[in-house]
Amino acid sequence: MAAKKIIAICQSGGEFVTNNEDGSLSYTGGNAYAVDIDEKTNVDAFKQELGDTFKFNVVGMTIKYFLPGNKKTLITVSKDKDLRRMVNFFKDSEQVEVFVIAEGAAVALNVSNMPASRSSRTTMPDPAVSPATPLDFTNPDGQLMVDTPMDTTTPLGICSNDDKHRRAATQWENSITGVDQRFSSFTEFREVLHKYSIAHGFTYNYKKNDSHRVTVKCKSEGCPWRIYASRLVTTQLIFIKKMNKNHTCEGAVVKAGYRATRGWVGNIIKEKLKFSPDYKPKDIATDIKREYGIQLNYSQSWRAKEIAREQLQGSYREAYSQLPSFCERIMETNPGSLATFVTKEDSSFHRLFVSFHASIYGFQQGCRPLLFLDSTVLYAKYQGIVLSAVGADGNDGVLPVAFAVVDEETDDNWHWFLSELKSAISTSRPITFVSAFQNGIRESLCDIFGKDSYHGYCLRHLGEKLNKDLHGKFSHEARCLLIQDLYAAAYAPKLEDFERCVENIKAISPDAYSWVVQSEPDHWVPFLVGQVTQMVDALQRKMMELNYTRRVDSSLWLTRLTPSMEEKLQNETSKSMPLQACNSHESTFEVRGEAVDLVDIDNWFCSCKAWQLSGLPCCHAIAIFECLGRSPYDYCSRYFTSESYRLTYSESINPIPLLEKPAKAEVDMEIMVSPPPTKRPPGRPKMKQPDSVDIIRRQLQCSKCKGLGHNKKTCNKANKIDGSDPLLLTGMVVAEQPEVSA
């Protein structure tokens, strides 16, 4: 059986930057190359390949990497066993970041943002001697080589900005050699000229720039530097015919941003973006400034990233044509997953459904039969709606089970999404669904999952609907009280508590009371549904990282329950101390405290309802277990155990190979998918998503008539003037004063 390969993203020429919040290290700048390695790879062969790639001498080369989940400690690879250990650590993540340091090169640590009185430490103990550069512990057989901490109060191998900029651009200083240098096209000549100007720190103007000749001169007035290139007759080659290399200007005296076009920046970051799809515009601007001395703003960096992404993957329009291949690759790389799409009659995109096998398995094996349904708007070029089904794990976290991208939110699209969801999870357990107060979802659930499934209404959506229906009818304070009583009623464990909250609503407004009764309170669910806001590829990466992180974290847990459930159980245990329990009949007990509660330990029942609602023993039940000498852990829901949590994230989501930009000849016209027709929505685009319903905007209230929605200046009643009244016309009385005689 062939050894499993992982991708080593090898980086060199950059620097380590310390995060002054948590002390973690990140590597920025330099060049990056991808190399396939496996457990059989030899260290000497690996170093030789890296030496050929980075033009380093193999003698004295150092290879380092971070442990999974630990960005504070660098591990050194010096022999075959170290390399095999590294491959084994990252076999589930499919890729590993490797840092290559040549002999004599200092490990640059950027501490420009660190306070002088504070040092950044790693997790290792302080060494007896503070070295000028990072040193390695000795490497006994079978042990890791770990870098010692670096005290950032003293600059370690830090170069000045000018030196770093110079080092980054040195490779371009001789990109133009002079007369008779040839290029394959004018495009290549212009790109090389651009890099040459950055390396030498000057800007230029085109005096002539057409398909036959290009004449360029230095932008500084009076500087004699100029270059002339033209096409060689009967060929496509471009030759430099004349060049004056002398500069009398000081160079770099104009804005550096003039020298950086978005196309040039896109070419620079393209390789890094290929292996780091989450490369942020602000990080792009930082790297370009550090490596080339060119300042970019956010929008320039964002546009450069879009150009690089389009060069790698094609445009957004072309991406729709890749949907068939994309769905196939999802199911090939993640067996057991479901990925399907539907187009309209005109071949335009209609809807896409994706559910990964790891999520399906985790939901079936380790999660409660509970799914939250939600939708959110996509603010992308072609807009759309994301429909999602999310489960709840045993540590109060969310598990994305399935999602779909549709052209619009309709009852038909919800019905299709739920049909695909049932095909994906294929479970016999009755499932409880929580969603917005929407008739289309309710009818589809009954039709697809049958009467065994239960449908609850999300409290947040109920609150938003109540607030919307009451808008303009009540003051700000009254609406706040109504929303508070609605939340209190939803969380009430006992019927009498619920009725008391509803009576409070009735006292404020009989209409609001009628609304509450008609909203089917027996379907209320005191949960707040989260939203999914990223597209398919980004979602897949986030889900892959989430599975891996939670799997690694849970492997370190020593408690029987998950941390959040363990904390809840300990809180209930502390509440049980003053309670007194006495046996009533067999498994039924009476517990006395501030009130008297009945507990049936065989049926996991307590009259306070907390045990039934939470799945964890309440303080009354724990008081009984203390008397009987039983463990409360035996009476906790299995979904809250660490074992179930590990089952939830035991399967990995495998990475999907990058879809390269397709050639026009490769597009199959029979399965051509085009973007959906878009229509710009009316009004100004919303820049910020509205907050939850518990933050209600104060409504205007008139100080004269006490009405809502206006103030005293625009009040029709207070400012009502009869134009036919001669007294008012003469100005002898005012509208708000009693009428007086002339």
Side-chain angles (χ1 to χ4, degrees):
M1 181 177 178
K4 182 179 179 180
K5 290 184 177 293
I6 65 173
I7 300 174
I9 302 177
C10 306
Q11 304 179 62
S12 182
E15 64 180 4
F16 289 98
V17 179
T18 303
N19 186 328
N20 54 7
E21 294 182 359
D22 59 6
S24 63
L25 298 174
S26 61
Y27 195 79
T28 59
N31 298 319
Y33 296 91
V35 179
D36 289 337
I37 60 175
D38 56 29
E39 294 181 349
K40 297 181 180 180
T41 302
N42 181 276
V43 168
D44 293 335
F46 186 41
K47 285 186 175 182
Q48 186 61 51
E49 184 172 0
L50 294 177
D52 296 340
T53 302
F54 290 107
K55 310 301 182 185
F56 286 167
N57 189 347
V58 176
V59 179
M61 178 190 296
T62 305
I63 302 174
K64 299 179 182 293
Y65 69 96
F66 287 117
L67 286 174
N70 184 351
K71 292 291 186 179
K72 298 180 181 180
T73 307
L74 282 168
I75 308 300
T76 300
V77 176
S78 61
K79 56 185 179 180
D80 293 341
K81 183 179 290 187
D82 298 333
L83 187 61
R84 287 196 300 270
R85 185 183 288 113
M86 181 186 74
V87 173
N88 186 56
F89 283 153
F90 291 90
K91 63 182 179 181
D92 291 333
S93 60
E94 307 292 340
Q95 65 181 33
V96 56
E97 284 188 301
V98 174
F99 311 104
V100 184
I101 303 171
E103 183 180 19
V107 180
L109 178 65
N110 188 342
V111 294
S112 58
N113 295 326
M114 298 289 291
S117 61
R118 184 179 179 182
S119 61
S120 175
R121 302 282 183 180
T122 64
T123 56
M124 299 297 297
D126 290 341
V129 181
S130 297
T133 56
L135 299 176
D136 293 332
F137 289 123
T138 57
N139 185 26
D141 187 35
Q143 294 188 5
L144 296 174
M145 296 180 67
V146 185
D147 284 353
T148 59
M150 295 177 288
D151 191 344
T152 58
T153 57
T154 304
L156 305 178
I158 300 177
C159 303
S160 67
N161 286 338
D162 291 341
D163 290 341
K164 285 187 289 184
H165 301 159
R166 188 73 175 174
R167 184 172 65 249
T170 298
Q171 55 184 323
W172 298 337
E173 284 185 345
N174 298 320
S175 55
I176 292 182
T177 57
V179 177
D180 292 336
Q181 185 178 357
R182 67 183 66 179
F183 303 90
S184 60
S185 65
F186 276 119
T187 300
E188 180 187 355
F189 169 73
R190 295 184 186 100
E191 290 179 357
V192 172
L193 176 62
H194 198 98
K195 295 176 180 179
Y196 180 84
S197 69
I198 292 174
H200 290 271
F202 72 95
T203 55
Y204 52 87
N205 281 334
Y206 285 102
K207 305 304 292 183
K208 292 185 181 296
N209 187 15
D210 54 41
S211 59
H212 300 287
R213 55 186 176 175
V214 172
T215 302
V216 182
K217 67 181 295 292
C218 181
K219 191 173 183 180
S220 296
E221 186 175 355
C223 181
W225 185 94
R226 62 191 299 124
I227 189 171
Y228 170 75
S230 64
R231 190 185 304 278
L232 185 63
V233 181
T234 70
T235 70
Q236 296 296 321
L237 296 178
I238 310 301
F239 272 74
I240 297 178
K241 299 295 183 65
K242 297 179 182 179
M243 182 176 181
N244 187 339
K245 298 182 179 181
N246 297 324
H247 272 288
T248 59
C249 62
E250 296 180 358
V253 294
V254 296
K255 291 183 179 180
Y258 176 84
R259 306 199 306 266
T261 64
R262 56 186 180 182
W264 173 80
V265 178
N267 287 329
I268 293 296
I269 67 172
K270 184 166 61 175
E271 283 301 315
K272 187 167 185 178
L273 185 66
K274 187 174 183 178
F275 297 103
S276 302
D278 295 327
Y279 199 15
K280 297 179 180 179
K282 64 178 183 180
D283 296 331
I284 294 174
T286 300
D287 291 346
I288 296 297
K289 173 65 176 177
R290 180 181 59 254
E291 297 178 19
Y292 304 105
I294 297 177
Q295 183 68 50
L296 302 178
N297 58 36
Y298 185 90
S299 60
Q300 289 172 324
S301 303
W302 183 86
R303 288 194 295 268
K305 179 181 177 181
E306 288 299 300
I307 288 178
R309 186 202 58 76
E310 185 169 334
Q311 291 175 354
L312 291 172
Q313 302 176 1
S315 65
Y316 285 116
R317 175 175 289 275
E318 292 172 340
Y320 279 93
S321 64
Q322 297 177 329
L323 271 180
S325 301
F326 184 66
C327 291
E328 290 177 2
R329 292 198 180 190
I330 289 178
M331 292 186 286
E332 288 175 0
T333 55
N334 294 268
S337 302
L338 178 61
T340 182
F341 70 97
V342 178
T343 60
K344 295 182 179 179
E345 294 181 357
D346 59 355
S347 296
S348 63
F349 173 80
H350 191 191
R351 44 203 181 193
L352 166 71
F353 177 90
V354 177
S355 182
F356 291 98
H357 169 71
S359 300
I360 299 171
Y361 180 85
F363 173 72
Q364 293 174 337
Q365 300 298 321
C367 292
R368 289 162 282 176
L370 173 67
L371 284 176
F372 299 92
L373 305 177
D374 200 11
S375 64
T376 186
V377 179
L378 288 174
Y379 294 101
K381 181 177 182 179
Y382 293 104
Q383 303 168 11
I385 303 290
V386 171
L387 309 180
S388 60
V390 179
D393 63 27
N395 197 40
D396 286 338
V398 296
L399 173 69
V401 177
F403 60 91
V405 180
V406 298
D407 53 353
E408 57 183 335
E409 186 174 8
T410 62
D411 293 346
D412 179 59
N413 280 336
W414 269 114
H415 190 278
W416 176 81
F417 173 71
L418 294 173
S419 298
E420 297 296 332
L421 177 64
K422 184 177 182 180
S423 301
I425 58 179
S426 62
T427 179
S428 58
R429 295 186 299 173
I431 300 177
T432 297
F433 293 91
V434 181
S435 70
F437 191 83
Q438 188 171 338
N439 291 330
I441 297 179
R442 180 179 180 181
E443 294 172 355
S444 297
L445 285 173
C446 293
D447 181 36
I448 297 169
F449 287 90
K451 296 182 179 180
D452 292 336
S453 64
Y454 189 82
H455 183 206
Y457 303 140
C458 171
L459 180 57
R460 177 173 66 86
H461 290 97
L462 282 171
E464 289 177 351
K465 190 174 188 306
L466 175 61
N467 182 46
K468 181 180 179 181
D469 293 344
L470 298 180
H471 184 72
K473 297 181 181 179
F474 298 95
S475 65
H476 171 77
E477 290 77 8
R479 289 161 60 208
C480 284
L481 290 175
L482 286 172
I483 298 299
Q484 291 175 6
D485 289 333
L486 177 71
Y487 273 59
Y491 281 96
K494 297 182 179 180
L495 179 61
E496 53 268 28
D497 297 333
F498 172 82
E499 291 176 345
R500 183 173 61 254
C501 296
V502 173
E503 286 298 322
N504 291 338
I505 294 176
K506 187 176 182 180
I508 298 175
S509 169
D511 292 339
Y513 172 79
S514 300
W515 185 97
V516 169
V517 173
Q518 294 173 4
S519 65
E520 305 175 53
D522 55 325
H523 288 271
W524 291 1
V525 179
F527 286 101
L528 305 182
V529 180
Q531 294 185 342
V532 182
T533 59
Q534 300 187 7
M535 288 299 286
V536 180
D537 55 345
L539 279 170
Q540 179 267 335
R541 291 195 301 272
K542 296 296 183 183
M543 292 167 64
M544 183 171 63
E545 294 172 3
L546 179 141
N547 273 31
Y548 174 76
T549 302
R550 292 182 176 177
R551 182 166 60 253
V552 172
D553 291 345
S554 62
S555 66
L556 305 177
W557 295 349
L558 302 177
T559 56
R560 186 170 173 180
L561 300 181
T562 62
S564 66
M565 297 303 166
E566 184 72 28
E567 182 180 356
K568 292 179 181 179
L569 186 64
Q570 296 304 321
N571 290 337
E572 292 297 320
T573 301
S574 63
K575 295 178 184 177
S576 68
M577 298 300 181
L579 302 179
Q580 296 180 350
C582 57
N583 187 276
S584 176
H585 177 71
E586 295 181 354
S587 65
T588 304
F589 293 80
E590 187 179 87
V591 181
R592 294 181 178 273
E594 295 180 357
V596 178
D597 289 276
L598 297 178
V599 180
D600 186 347
I601 59 175
D602 285 349
N603 295 315
W604 293 23
F605 171 86
C606 180
S607 58
C608 74
K609 305 294 184 182
W611 194 355
Q612 299 92 297
L613 290 174
S614 67
L616 295 174
C618 61
C619 58
H620 310 107
I622 295 176
I624 297 173
F625 299 147
E626 291 291 336
C627 295
L628 299 178
R630 299 185 184 182
S631 172
Y633 292 99
D634 296 334
Y635 294 87
C636 297
S637 172
R638 73 173 183 87
Y639 298 113
F640 300 149
T641 63
S642 297
E643 181 182 358
S644 292
Y645 186 89
R646 295 187 185 103
L647 277 175
T648 303
Y649 299 103
S650 59
E651 295 290 322
S652 301
I653 296 180
N654 299 323
I656 304 170
L658 182 67
L659 290 172
E660 300 290 346
K661 182 177 179 180
K664 294 183 178 180
E666 297 177 356
V667 178
D668 189 348
M669 298 305 294
E670 295 182 359
I671 54 174
M672 182 69 179
V673 182
S674 61
T678 59
K679 181 179 180 182
R680 181 173 179 176
R684 186 175 182 176
K686 294 181 180 179
M687 302 303 293
K688 183 179 180 181
Q689 188 171 349
D691 294 331
S692 185
V693 67
D694 51 352
I695 302 178
I696 304 175
R697 291 184 178 179
R698 180 178 293 275
Q699 193 172 2
L700 287 176
Q701 185 174 16
C702 180
S703 60
K704 296 294 184 181
C705 71
K706 308 303 180 183
L708 299 176
H710 64 276
N711 56 25
K712 65 179 182 180
K713 291 184 178 181
T714 58
C715 180
N716 292 329
K717 294 181 180 179
N719 298 328
K720 187 176 181 181
I721 298 178
D722 187 359
S724 62
D725 191 340
L727 296 179
L728 293 177
L729 293 176
T730 58
M732 300 184 66
V733 295
V734 294
E736 295 181 351
Q737 294 178 339
E739 186 177 353
V740 297
S741 58

